[in-house]
Structures are given as structure tokens and as C-alpha cells.
Amino acid sequence: MNTQPRPSWPEDGLIAAVVQDAADASVLMVGWMDEEAFEATVATGEVHFHSRSRDRLWRKGETSGNVLHVRRLALDCDGDAVLLEVDPVGPTCHRGTRSCFDPEGAPAERTGQDLAWLETLWSVIAARARERPIGSYTTSLVEGGVDATSRKVVEEATEVLIAAKDDAAAGATGVDRAVTRGALAGETADLLFHALVLIAERDVSPRAVVDVLRSRHED
């Protein structure tokens, strides 16, 4: 992160810092950074703030151990606020909740299924389909047209079926399912990826798919 653009520091030397969980974009907290805190964050990859109550540099989690590892850092259009996408270690709030915006007694960890990360995957797939970089697997699929992408979806769907049956057999015989569950997760990941590549090749957006699911749910 050493090439990260620097903020435009206001007269009081402080900018707002919004912290989001990189997994699902949930807002975890808002703090303040001065130049020292910003540079410490960039240099270490862990979020630092300026503590206004103690008037000093503060590394988030320095006493609790609940640090925030930076995945991405971005400035707003005016350069006077920063967005931090992080991997949190433990609850972010001093009350023991995941977010400072959660009510008292809320869970300390994520309770969702991280489906928001599919947005990241889609953005990469869409970029590959649009830009066609040489050597990209996604590029090779898209350039193969509907036949190539559809064939992979069918292949991966078959692999999911086989993995699911293997897992069912393991469960029926009392065998440890760690391996078969891992295989099923892996094959399902392959199927989801190739299904997204297929709709990218056909210029159909995931939003259109979600709209169909939403309408069926509402019915």
C-alpha cells in the first residue's frame, strides 16, 4: 500500500475513516485519522486512528487484540475521508459486538454467508469478458462462445452431483465427512464461477437473475 494516494489534510489535521468488513461491506466503525495514523496504517497494513480523547496514535486492537487488517484503502472524491475495507480479528466494538452500530448483545462475529463477496468475483469476470486479457482462463471461455461456457457449466454440474452423492454415502456409513464436504464445496464453487462466466458471455447481469429470485420469493 506504499503507493497509496495521500489525503488532502484539512486545517484541523483530521479526516473521517469509515471501516467496512471486506467480506460483506458492513460498516464496523468510524474513527478519525491524522497524517501519522494514516501513514502508520499504510505502512503496517493494520488500522490506526488518532485518539481524540487521549490525543495520541492508537492502533485498533492494541489492548484487546481485535485488530483490523486492511484489504483495501480508498479516498473519497475530495480526498478528505478514507474508506477502509478490512478483515477484522474478533469483534470491532468495545462492547463485544461485531460493529459499533449493532445493538447491545448483538453477535460478535458475522452471521451471514458472505454472499456479498460474489460481487467481487463478478466484477473480475465482467472485466475479463470486457477486456479479454491474453492468458486469462475467463477470456478463453468467453472467446469460445456459448458452446464452451455452457459445456463447462454442464461438466461442473455433473461434478457437483457426484460430490453430493459421495458426501451422502459418507454420511450413511458414518465416515468423517470433512473430505467429502470439502469436495462438494469446491465443485459448487466451480459451478458458480462457470455459471457467472456463462451469463457474462451472454451479456446477462447477475442483477437480472436476482430479480427473478426476488420476484419468486415475493410470490
Side-chain angles (χ1 to χ4, degrees):
M1 290 195 299
N2 290 327
T3 59
Q4 174 67 43
R6 268 47 182 177
S8 301
W9 297 103
E11 290 185 8
D12 64 2
L14 295 176
I15 60 172
V18 180
V19 179
Q20 283 185 317
D21 192 321
D24 64 0
S26 294
V27 176
L28 301 178
M29 67 174 293
V30 177
W32 296 93
M33 284 185 171
D34 59 6
E35 188 169 3
E36 181 184 24
F38 182 87
E39 296 298 339
T41 298
V42 171
T44 66
E46 292 186 355
V47 176
H48 289 66
F49 296 107
H50 173 77
S51 172
R52 292 181 296 171
S53 61
R54 291 169 285 183
D55 192 27
R56 69 170 181 84
L57 181 67
W58 166 45
R59 179 175 67 89
K60 178 69 177 72
E62 63 188 15
T63 56
S64 66
N66 298 331
V67 298
L68 301 170
H69 296 292
V70 180
R71 288 276 295 275
R72 177 175 172 270
L73 187 156
L75 299 176
D76 79 340
C77 58
D78 295 320
D80 58 3
V82 61
L83 177 66
L84 300 150
E85 295 180 8
V86 306
D87 291 322
V89 176
T92 297
C93 185
H94 70 279
R95 300 168 303 153
T97 57
R98 178 193 177 202
S99 167
C100 292
F101 296 94
D102 288 339
E104 195 75 39
E109 305 291 342
R110 277 197 311 271
T111 56
Q113 294 297 315
D114 293 348
L115 291 175
W117 186 84
L118 290 176
E119 290 282 358
T120 300
L121 177 60
W122 171 253
S123 68
V124 174
I125 290 172
R128 297 286 191 273
R130 181 175 61 254
E131 299 165 6
R132 309 290 177 90
I134 297 174
S136 163
Y137 175 63
T138 303
T139 296
S140 67
L141 286 175
V142 172
E143 291 186 342
V146 67
D147 289 340
T149 50
S150 297
R151 188 181 307 115
K152 287 301 297 182
V153 170
V154 172
E155 290 176 5
E156 298 303 340
T158 302
E159 294 294 334
V160 169
L161 172 61
I162 294 171
K165 291 181 72 66
D166 288 344
D167 185 55
T173 57
V175 175
D176 183 359
R177 293 174 54 209
V179 173
T180 55
R181 282 185 298 185
L184 179 55
E187 297 299 346
T188 303
D190 290 343
L191 176 59
L192 285 172
F193 169 78
H194 287 94
L196 288 173
V197 174
L198 172 61
I199 64 172
E201 192 277 333
R202 289 291 82 210
D203 194 27
V204 175
S205 70
R207 181 177 292 114
V209 177
V210 172
D211 285 344
V212 172
L213 291 171
R214 183 180 291 114
S215 67
R216 291 175 179 173
H217 175 73
E218 292 171 352
D219 291 342

